[in-house]
Every structure is written in structure tokens, then in C-alpha cells.
Amino acid sequence: DGGITQSPKYLFRKEGQNVTLSCEQNLNHDAMYWYRQDPGQGLRLIYYSQIVNDFQKGDIAEGYSVSREKKESFPLTVTSAQKNPTAFYLCASSIGGQGQETQYFGPGTRLLVL
Amino acid sequence: GEDVEQSLFLSVREGDSSVINCTYTDSSSTYLYWYKQEPGAGLQLLTYIFSNMDMKQDQRLTVLLNKKDKHLSLRIADTQTGDSAIYFCAVLNDYKLSFGAGTTVTVRA
């Protein structure tokens, strides 16, 4: 069953703590993306990766970090430098390359601050 | 950057048609998308249209694109209670998707 999985569904962060959100896909897609969703707003791009071992900052990368060591995995770390991390985080992937940019989304992780 | 605007709310009677509108600013956009989000869930791709088309129909969904006015709409025929959700318009330039804030559609009996 092909798709994108995100875990955990809910995540709680304490002050000063780094937390990592998991995103895995078995669609054999080259490109992967992380978005943040706040209530009443559209999605904003945090980081994206068009190929393994390469990634670029999106519009709101400050306070976040990523890695892309494997094609199927693109974990996002929310660091203590991110002062307002409470949000819904969505991972997406696409085949990659021109004309193959349609993005498919995972179920999301809701991050809450204790 | 790209600005994408949508009205925030739409209330529609069950069985009627729903029309959700979207405007964007960058005329070089290649693909334009409609996604659906149910409470607590991720985004589900509903349909998309390539920028050289002006209409696309897919079962109950009709997408209209007016490139001159940079206006995109999604019509849902025979709206059902299961269509209650937030609908996002998204516009692609190069690799990057720009999203509107979403239209919350409420279907009333």
C-alpha cells in the first residue's frame, strides 16, 4: 500500500527541547517537502529536498532543521530556537522533475508545547 | 512572491452546487490545484489544471481557469454532507506551491 506516513500523530514539546517529526514515503518519489499550517492560514514551506543528500530552505526555515540521507525519509527537527512551534506539520512528496511536481500529502503531525 | 486569495467561508444546501473561488498574482504559474482537508487530516489532492487549459471536468468537480483575470474556481455539483471540509487553492511556480488560506465549506441539510 503506497503512501506517505508521518509519526507521531501528536507530539508534545517542553521548553528548550528539540523534537523530531518523522516522514516516510514508499512512492519512490525524489522530492519531499515540509509545511507548517496555522489556524486560518494556508500552508507555509519550511524546507524541501529535490534529491537525496540535498535540501533547501523554504520561506520559514528559522528554528528548523532537516536531513535527507535516504530517498524515502525526510525527518524534520524543531529546535529550541523555534519560539512558536505549536502548529500542524505536513509532509509532502512529488515524483520530481519538470512536469512531475504534483505534491501528495501525509496525514500530518500536531505539535503542542507543554 | 505569489499571493493566493480565497474567500474564507461558504455555506451551501445539500444537493445544490458549490462554487469556490481563488485569485492569484503570478501569471507564469504552470499548474493550479485544489486540495481538500477534513478535520485533523492531511491534504487530499482533488484535481488540478494545467495553465494552458481553461476547463477540466472530473465527475462532480469542474475547474475553470481564467488566465487573463488570474481567477480559478472549483464547482462541486450535487454537494453532499461528505463535502464539508476546507478547500485549498494552490498555485505552482517552478517547484514551489503557494497556498490560499482555505475556504471552509459547510453543507446544511
Side-chain angles (χ1 to χ4, degrees):
Chain A
D1 207 11
I4 303 171
T5 56
Q6 292 186 242
S7 61
K9 189 173 172 67
Y10 296 95
L11 186 56
F12 298 91
R13 193 189 92 162
K14 295 179 184 176
E15 290 287 336
Q17 189 181 39
N18 292 353
V19 291
T20 297
L21 285 62
S22 168
C23 177
E24 304 273 332
Q25 53 96 2
N26 62 2
L27 301 168
N28 201 33
H29 285 176
D30 280 322
M32 297 185 75
Y33 310 80
W34 273 107
Y35 292 89
R36 171 180 170 137
Q37 184 181 22
D38 292 284
Q41 296 187 35
L43 278 66
R44 293 182 289 167
L45 183 64
I46 305 172
Y47 269 98
Y48 67 101
S49 167
Q50 293 181 301
I51 200 159
V52 174
N53 293 321
D54 188 43
F55 51 83
Q56 284 79 40
K57 292 181 179 180
D59 298 321
I60 55 164
E62 188 175 344
Y64 300 97
S65 66
V66 292
S67 62
R68 187 86 189 278
E69 295 174 4
K70 296 188 294 183
K71 187 175 185 177
E72 58 270 22
S73 178
F74 191 39
L76 173 74
T77 297
V78 184
T79 74
S80 56
Q82 173 48 245
K83 296 306 177 191
N84 183 22
T86 297
F88 192 48
Y89 290 87
L90 288 156
C91 177
S93 70
S94 64
I95 293 174
Q98 195 166 13
Q100 303 286 350
E101 299 102 333
T102 299
Q103 294 182 24
Y104 299 89
F105 284 81
T109 291
R110 188 165 300 279
L111 177 60
L112 300 161
V113 177
L114 294 177
Chain B
E2 175 82 75
D3 282 330
V4 181
E5 300 281 341
Q6 299 178 240
S7 53
L8 294 182
F9 300 100
L10 176 68
S11 177
V12 62
R13 194 187 304 273
E14 190 176 7
D16 287 351
S17 292
S18 310
V19 179
I20 307 167
N21 294 299
C22 172
T23 58
Y24 60 98
T25 54
D26 192 337
S27 57
S28 65
S29 305
T30 51
Y31 287 91
L32 302 99
Y33 299 87
W34 286 103
Y35 286 91
K36 176 184 180 182
Q37 186 179 39
E38 297 186 12
L43 270 65
Q44 173 194 349
L45 177 66
L46 282 179
T47 187
Y48 63 92
I49 190 167
F50 189 52
S51 58
N52 68 355
M53 299 169 65
D54 50 22
M55 187 181 96
K56 181 179 179 183
Q57 189 152 1
D58 184 0
Q59 299 182 322
R60 290 192 298 126
L61 305 178
T62 303
V63 179
L64 295 178
L65 175 61
N66 181 328
K67 244 190 131 172
K68 175 175 165 287
D69 294 339
K70 301 191 194 68
H71 182 268
L72 181 72
S73 68
L74 174 69
R75 178 177 178 270
I76 306 172
D78 187 24
T79 309
Q80 303 298 308
T81 54
D83 295 323
S84 291
I86 303 175
Y87 291 79
F88 289 95
C89 167
V91 178
L92 184 72
N93 288 289
D94 293 325
Y95 65 90
K96 187 176 174 186
L97 268 182
S98 298
F99 287 83
T103 300
T104 299
V105 173
T106 303
V107 181
R108 60 187 194 278

